[in-house]
Amino acid sequence: MMARGTTFLEAHGVPELLAPAGGPEPFNAALAAGADAIYCGLGNDFNARRGAHNFDDESFAAACRRAHLAGTRVYVTVNVAVSTEEMPRVLDLVRRAWGLGADAFIIQDWGLMAEIRRRWPEVETHVSTQANVHDARGVAWCRGVWGVDRVTLSRELSLAEISRIAEEGVELECFGHGALCFCYSGVCLMSSLNGGRSANRGLCAQPCRLPYDLIDEGGNVMEIPGVATQGLPEKSRGVGGTRLLCPKDYCTVDRLAEMRDAGVGSLKVEGRMKAPDYVLSVVGAYRDALDALAAGEDSEAGAAARHRRLKRAFNRDFTDSYLWGRSDNDMMSYERSNNRGEVVGEVMGSRQLEDAVVRRGGGNGGRERMRRLTRADVEVRLTAPVDEGDLLELRPVDDPTQFLTAPAPADAAAGESIICRAARPMPAGSVVRLIRSQRALDEAARVADKDVVRRRPVRVSVTARLGEPFSVELSCVDGAASARAEGFVVEAARTREVTGEELVEHVGRMGQSPFEPVEWDVTLDSGCGMSFSAVHKVRAEACAYLEEALLAPYACRGGSPCKGDSHFCTPGRAKVTVPFARAAPSARPLVLPTICALVTAPECAEAALAAGATRVYAPADDLAEGAWPEGVIPWLDEICREADHARLDRWVRAGEPVAVGNVSELALAVERGALPEVRSCVPVHNESCLAALEDAGAAGVWLSPELTLDEVCALARAARVPVGLSVLGRERVMTSEHCVLQALGQCIHDCRRCALRRRRLSLRDIDGRELPVRTDVNGRSRIWFGQPLDATPQVDVLLAAGVSRLLVDAQLMDEEEVAAAVGRVARAVEAARAGRKPARRLPGATSGHLFAGIG
């Protein structure tokens, strides 16, 4: 095991290869493929892939044992927002997982992070990419405030940004391969507001993979041109299709040297929802690439083999745009969101076969039915080799929706033709792709249920001296541990003396042990004789002792970490209690409410103030233009990368309020003595998180729109700082580095002068909802929910609980709409203070999650 504080990159010269495992079978696939570390979920309640198979305690303990004997670490994902009532269960899960062999925990929720760091400082903690950290200042805050061991950066960062962040001296985990989210991780509400399945709770329904129409102000569908669009730079052209929010998959296999040099300590492969054959193929390809990088030797043939292996695993085509600071059309898969596989040929022609008649039913006295099935032999000319059983997709060029699949009938090389039996004829010229590799399926199946799938290299020292005990010493090549076993006393040969080659052969028979001898040192006196069964016994004992030595750091935990002690004790299942002692919630007198408005123009600010708002906010970019009324509070972005400091930091001023959208801005506000209000995009779902942010310097908190009314009220009662909630307007559901408008093929690469950006465009989903979309001057798209929020009927309950700031999110409103919205909130407050119920909810509006909690 590496000493804590020593990074993998420092120890090995290349990044750690971090593999996904959605259950025991993909775990074995990752292990067999050569993963240095594997991340997985224990149970199905508190990780960002709750739909995966995941692990129970027994299978997790067995997986940890296999991994540790092979030299691989295991990280447990607890990377979701946690409610107050769930906190005891999550902490119990962490305690159990640590006792069962977890090496570290990947955490999103700052409340959970605070509880783990306070209770068990010896536990290794990693900040999840869901925590939305993407600059050096945010990483330094994670180190200084929390003492974390690793930060997982946002996927959108460039090599230059990663290199700057690495100067902070915190180990960095970066995305290396797999599915990209359209939205910045941790700030997406699209899935939860659409149907209650929250990405912050591990149940994302992936709405970004669905078709959308881009529509204009009149509801007309805007044409998404094809690749033949002329007169524009190639990467600015529209490409057709309706998957406007669907990125390609990330692939950095050719950029590992640059990532290493930038300071990437761990390279993450995405895929806890992927099958074992995917994990085996992708992790194996990156293992090969990292080994070639470490050796300083590679070949064109090796690179080509890796590319083929990756293409034959699930993929939406590949991009590495973010590494170079780009977010253009080159990274998008507008035309399809499913597996593209690898192009391996084209259809040359088809031959219709005689229809087959299939008889169905007829059992138990039922009526027999006959069905006529059409079949065809389809000739495919190959441009790449295929194996028997590979699943091929045959897709017509003129109508790609009419595709079908067929298995490859036999092994065949590039240049050969094969005849595939298909459900119907396919037109000549149809593109043929390999979308599932039979070889990968077979390889994954071979290791699926094995106890030893990867053997650890060891040095073997054998000593056989006359009159002394025979001994075998095993030492891990990586220096992790060594063990020595002694047995019988060596005697002179009575018939035939033993040779050194025979000792190597018999000691080297390590059978089902997890070790593989790679180096030998044999000390053998001449004339020695011995029983090989006795030799085998000593070798088996040495293997057992080495296993014990490798597992000793985990065995001594005893099943549970103990607060304030570097050792582990108290085995069993001691009950974990909530850390804070709060008085039972009780009714409060109505607080003096503050009606707030978030606007984007000075005239809207004036309208809000005239209608009764006493606190007005404006986004930083809008605040930089125009003559604003005095006292407007900066509303800083949910994204703060290195390049954003110049435009955002100037709004953070000593003694003045500022709404901060991420931990980097919070850190700066505390440093400058400002009064930071934490926006809802830093989700507060539990009292521990609320207390942690208050202790970190938050002067106010805006609560998450994913909370129920009861949860909002409970947090408001527990808060020591003012608490706010958005009660009217539209909720932002996505923020993306990619501009949605690029799909139109009219990008001029100058956002400030872009006429499209100033239009009121929307995305229309498959249910007919229209989601407003806007791109800011920095090229980032924001998407709002299709229904407006109206929580004003609950204003009386909110005020009684202590919610003191009521926000009208008026970013999409004009002056008249702002005045009407603020007036509505003012009337609701007046009614509540007079003891009356506020007016009913506006027609067509939603109450969000106040009465329908997220999954």
Side-chain angles (χ1 to χ4, degrees):
M1 298 176 64
M2 290 184 301
R4 190 167 180 183
T6 301
T7 68
F8 191 96
L9 183 61
E10 291 168 341
H12 299 274
V14 294
E16 169 191 85
L17 178 55
L18 177 58
E25 291 186 359
F27 191 100
N28 270 13
L31 203 55
D36 297 308
I38 301 173
Y39 64 101
C40 56
L42 178 59
N44 292 85
D45 294 331
F46 302 115
N47 70 85
R49 293 294 183 271
R50 289 166 60 191
H53 179 70
N54 294 314
F55 288 82
D56 58 22
D57 285 22
E58 182 179 359
S59 61
F60 179 73
C64 287
R65 183 180 187 279
R66 292 195 299 275
H68 295 150
L69 290 175
T72 294
R73 308 182 82 218
V74 180
Y75 307 148
V76 174
T77 52
V78 278
N79 51 345
V80 294
V82 179
S83 71
T84 298
E85 68 175 15
E86 291 173 332
M87 187 63 74
R89 287 198 291 135
V90 181
L91 291 172
D92 185 63
L93 181 148
V94 170
R95 181 192 61 77
R96 290 184 358 252
W98 186 261
L100 294 170
D103 290 283
F105 295 87
I106 304 172
I107 302 164
Q108 172 190 10
D109 191 293
W110 296 114
L112 178 58
M113 179 70 78
E115 292 304 328
I116 293 175
R117 299 305 301 148
R118 182 180 70 84
R119 291 162 171 268
W120 308 308
E122 60 272 54
V123 168
E124 184 173 327
T125 50
H126 300 175
V127 176
S128 169
T129 188
Q130 288 285 117
N132 202 28
V133 179
H134 28 53
D135 69 345
R137 191 166 60 208
V139 168
W141 184 82
C142 292
R143 175 196 60 211
V145 173
W146 305 100
V148 301
D149 298 271
R150 176 185 291 184
V151 174
T152 308
L153 297 177
S154 292
R155 301 175 179 188
E156 290 81 357
L157 300 191
S158 68
L159 283 169
E161 290 172 295
I162 294 168
S163 182
R164 164 63 190 94
I165 296 170
E167 295 174 7
E168 296 299 319
V170 179
E171 186 174 38
L172 302 179
E173 178 185 311
C174 295
F175 192 52
H177 190 94
L180 281 170
C181 294
F182 183 77
C183 181
Y184 274 89
S185 294
V187 298
C188 182
L189 301 174
M190 177 84 89
S191 181
S192 69
L193 288 178
N194 267 340
R197 294 179 54 180
S198 171
N200 285 317
R201 296 280 294 169
L203 290 175
C204 180
Q206 295 190 313
C208 51
R209 305 298 180 189
L210 298 175
Y212 293 87
D213 289 324
L214 186 60
I215 61 174
D216 64 17
E217 297 85 347
N220 304 303
V221 177
M222 304 180 74
E223 182 181 356
I224 306 298
V227 292
T229 303
Q230 300 297 318
L232 291 167
E234 182 177 352
K235 289 186 177 180
S236 296
R237 299 176 190 166
V239 294
T242 59
R243 311 287 170 157
L244 300 184
L245 308 181
C246 180
K248 296 176 182 176
D249 288 357
Y250 214 39
C251 179
T252 65
V253 73
D254 295 327
R255 304 301 179 187
L256 300 184
E258 292 96 326
M259 297 186 79
R260 173 201 62 192
D261 295 343
V264 174
S266 180
L267 188 83
K268 174 186 176 180
V269 173
E270 179 273 339
R272 282 198 292 132
M273 296 294 288
K274 298 293 202 308
D277 58 293
Y278 174 92
V279 174
L280 188 72
S281 296
V282 173
V283 176
Y286 276 84
R287 177 76 279 152
D288 182 71
L290 286 169
D291 288 348
L293 178 62
E297 299 177 357
D298 202 359
S299 65
E300 290 185 9
R306 290 193 291 270
H307 290 166
R308 175 152 291 161
R309 197 171 186 185
L310 292 173
K311 277 286 190 181
R312 295 183 176 204
F314 183 101
N315 72 87
R316 300 178 180 89
D317 204 357
F318 295 127
T319 181
D320 63 359
S321 287
Y322 281 147
L323 282 183
W324 316 108
R326 302 194 306 265
S327 56
D328 47 30
N329 280 337
D330 185 58
M331 63 171 281
M332 299 301 294
S333 180
Y334 291 129
E335 65 275 24
R336 61 189 290 186
S337 61
N338 58 351
N339 184 15
R340 295 190 181 197
E342 179 192 20
V343 175
V344 295
E346 66 173 309
V347 171
M348 306 304 293
S350 300
R351 182 172 67 90
Q352 178 85 43
L353 300 177
E354 182 178 345
D355 290 351
V357 176
V358 179
R359 298 179 183 273
R360 301 200 173 192
N364 297 322
R367 192 175 71 176
E368 183 179 76
R369 298 179 180 179
M370 291 186 294
R371 182 183 176 193
R372 192 171 296 275
L373 295 180
T374 301
R375 298 177 302 160
D377 279 345
V378 180
E379 181 185 0
V380 174
R381 174 63 60 86
L382 296 172
T383 57
V386 300
D387 294 328
E388 181 180 356
D390 286 346
L391 186 63
L392 306 180
E393 176 197 86
L394 289 61
R395 188 176 287 262
V397 175
D398 293 338
D399 188 358
T401 63
Q402 297 303 307
F403 69 93
L404 52 76
T405 60
D411 296 354
E416 296 182 1
S417 292
I418 57 174
I419 303 297
C420 297
R421 182 62 54 85
R424 64 177 184 273
M426 297 299 290
S430 296
V431 178
V432 179
R433 298 173 182 269
L434 194 160
I435 59 172
R436 190 185 69 201
S437 165
Q438 187 62 44
R439 181 177 301 180
L441 286 169
D442 292 343
E443 290 176 354
R446 277 194 291 271
V447 301
D449 58 357
K450 291 188 180 299
D451 189 49
V452 176
V453 297
R454 189 172 93 214
R455 300 185 186 278
R456 195 168 192 153
V458 294
R459 299 184 184 94
V460 185
S461 178
V462 180
T463 303
R465 307 198 70 119
L466 289 169
E468 297 180 7
F470 176 82
S471 69
V472 174
E473 183 173 355
L474 305 179
S475 302
C476 295
V477 170
D478 59 12
S482 62
R484 185 172 185 271
E486 292 184 350
F488 58 92
V489 175
V490 179
E491 299 177 349
R494 298 177 183 176
T495 53
R496 185 176 66 84
E497 66 179 277
V498 172
T499 66
E501 291 77 10
E502 288 174 320
L503 284 181
V504 168
E505 178 191 352
H506 285 273
V507 174
R509 294 179 184 175
M510 295 194 175
Q512 295 303 308
S513 82
F515 308 117
E516 177 185 9
V518 295
E519 296 180 24
W520 289 87
D521 178 20
V522 178
T523 301
L524 174 64
D525 285 351
S526 61
C528 291
M530 60 194 74
S531 161
F532 287 130
S533 62
V535 169
H536 296 166
K537 181 178 179 181
V538 176
R539 179 253 298 141
E541 288 181 350
C543 288
Y545 292 156
L546 184 55
E547 286 191 27
E548 184 179 343
L550 288 169
L551 298 175
Y554 305 95
C556 74
R557 292 177 179 177
S560 176
C562 297
K563 176 188 172 185
D565 192 345
S566 61
H567 296 85
F568 291 86
C569 56
T570 318
R573 295 181 176 271
K575 183 179 179 182
V576 178
T577 56
V578 177
F580 33 75
R582 305 278 192 186
S586 58
R588 290 185 178 184
L590 287 179
V591 297
L592 185 62
T594 303
I595 300 174
C596 309
L598 172 60
V599 299
T600 58
E603 56 271 23
C604 291
E606 297 283 6
L609 292 169
T614 54
R615 200 173 183 89
V616 175
Y617 300 82
D621 290 328
D622 297 305
L623 201 54
E625 300 179 2
W628 287 82
E630 185 178 352
V632 174
I633 300 168
W635 187 269
L636 302 189
D637 293 2
E638 54 272 23
I639 310 303
C640 184
R641 292 165 62 169
E642 298 295 328
D644 295 310
H645 291 184
R647 65 184 184 84
L648 296 178
D649 290 3
R650 65 191 181 106
W651 300 106
V652 181
R653 299 162 179 160
E656 296 184 10
V658 59
V660 298
N662 55 68
V663 296
S664 172
E665 294 162 351
L666 174 61
L668 178 65
V670 172
E671 177 188 329
R672 291 187 176 178
L675 302 174
E677 303 171 17
V678 177
R679 287 181 51 198
S680 63
C681 45
V682 181
V684 176
H685 284 240
N686 57 76
E687 294 183 27
S688 291
C689 185
L690 180 64
L693 292 175
E694 290 169 342
D695 292 343
V701 173
W702 290 92
L703 294 180
S704 169
E706 293 191 319
L707 298 173
T708 65
L709 182 61
D710 288 343
E711 290 170 329
V712 168
C713 292
L715 290 169
R717 294 187 186 102
R720 306 192 305 264
V721 297
V723 169
L725 185 73
S726 181
V727 295
L728 198 64
R730 299 238 186 193
E731 296 286 358
R732 178 204 56 81
V733 293
M734 279 189 174
T735 299
S736 177
E737 195 63 27
H738 174 77
C739 172
V740 176
L741 308 182
Q742 290 184 77
L744 295 170
Q746 301 175 30
C747 183
I748 62 173
H749 303 287
D750 186 345
C751 295
R752 288 192 177 275
R753 294 194 304 109
C754 177
L756 277 173
R757 187 179 67 79
R758 300 182 186 281
R759 296 181 62 179
R760 300 173 70 86
L761 306 181
S762 299
L763 295 169
R764 185 158 59 203
D765 67 15
I766 57 176
D767 295 318
R769 286 177 296 222
E770 296 182 5
L771 289 69
V773 59
R774 304 288 184 270
T775 296
D776 64 21
V777 295
N778 311 293
R780 292 181 183 133
S781 285
R782 287 175 176 80
I783 301 171
W784 277 264
F785 191 48
Q787 285 180 278
L789 170 74
D790 182 10
T792 57
Q794 282 68 54
V795 161
D796 55 342
V797 178
L798 295 173
L799 295 182
V803 177
S804 58
R805 292 173 180 167
L806 306 175
L807 180 69
V808 174
D809 190 332
Q811 293 178 85
L812 301 180
M813 299 181 188
D814 60 24
E815 295 172 67
E816 291 185 4
E817 291 168 329
V818 169
V822 171
R824 178 174 177 81
V825 175
R827 289 190 296 275
V829 168
E830 182 181 353
R833 298 186 70 185
R836 305 191 310 271
K837 285 295 295 180
R840 288 186 173 187
R841 186 165 295 107
L842 289 170
T846 175
S847 59
H849 286 295
L850 291 182
F851 303 105
I854 57 177

